[in-house]
Amino acid sequence: MAEIAEVIGREKAIDFVRQLPQSGSRPWRACIYIPKHLPADHKLVQMLGWHDASKLAYAFSGMILQPSRLDAMEKAHRNRQIVRAAGDGVSIEEIADVYELSQYHVKDIIEAQTTEQEAANG
């Protein structure tokens, strides 16, 4: 993911990776072949536009890219938002409704994040 972001920028890289198909039986990975010669009708061009697709073709010519699908990053962000909301006084029930989680799951997330923060602070 970082290498892709270096070529086309972070936001475009995130959008691009979200569009990629799952890599076989590994749902946490995406997969795409970057051709050596980029035809105008290639799916990279459809996903990114000619300019950014050309940049990727130049940087990763002939390679199969298998970036992470960002699930862990999105989950960590969601969990931080949940802890922040709870710290701001939002009820567990409201948080659960917003994130479409059970109240038990929300409580577990808050407890786990709090434990991690306490361990990090010594």
Side-chain angles (χ1 to χ4, degrees):
M1 173 61 191
E3 292 88 358
I4 296 170
E6 287 179 24
V7 175
I8 62 172
R10 185 175 188 273
E11 294 303 316
K12 289 179 184 177
I14 289 171
D15 290 340
F16 171 64
V17 170
R18 284 187 177 136
Q19 295 178 61
L20 295 177
Q22 174 180 316
S23 177
S25 63
R26 299 182 297 178
W28 63 91
R29 288 249 178 240
C31 184
I32 190 164
Y33 172 72
I34 308 297
K36 291 181 181 183
H37 304 286
L38 186 64
D41 62 346
H42 193 274
K43 62 183 167 186
L44 273 180
V45 176
Q46 295 169 3
M47 296 166 92
L48 294 168
W50 178 255
H51 183 72
D52 289 325
S54 296
K55 287 181 179 181
L56 280 185
Y58 180 78
F60 302 107
S61 178
M63 296 175 68
I64 296 173
L65 300 183
Q66 293 186 328
S68 168
R69 292 183 50 93
L70 308 174
D71 295 342
M73 185 175 84
E74 290 173 350
K75 188 175 181 180
H77 176 72
R78 178 205 67 192
N79 290 353
R80 286 190 301 274
Q81 295 292 89
I82 287 171
V83 170
R84 187 174 300 126
D88 290 343
V90 179
S91 74
I92 300 294
E93 183 178 352
E94 288 177 279
I95 295 170
D97 286 344
V98 167
Y99 290 97
E100 298 179 350
L101 300 170
S102 72
Q103 292 181 35
Y104 296 107
H105 194 172
V106 171
K107 289 176 188 176
D108 287 345
I109 289 168
I110 293 168
E111 184 178 311
Q113 294 287 314
T114 304
T115 302
E116 285 180 25
Q117 288 173 355
E118 289 172 354
N121 292 332

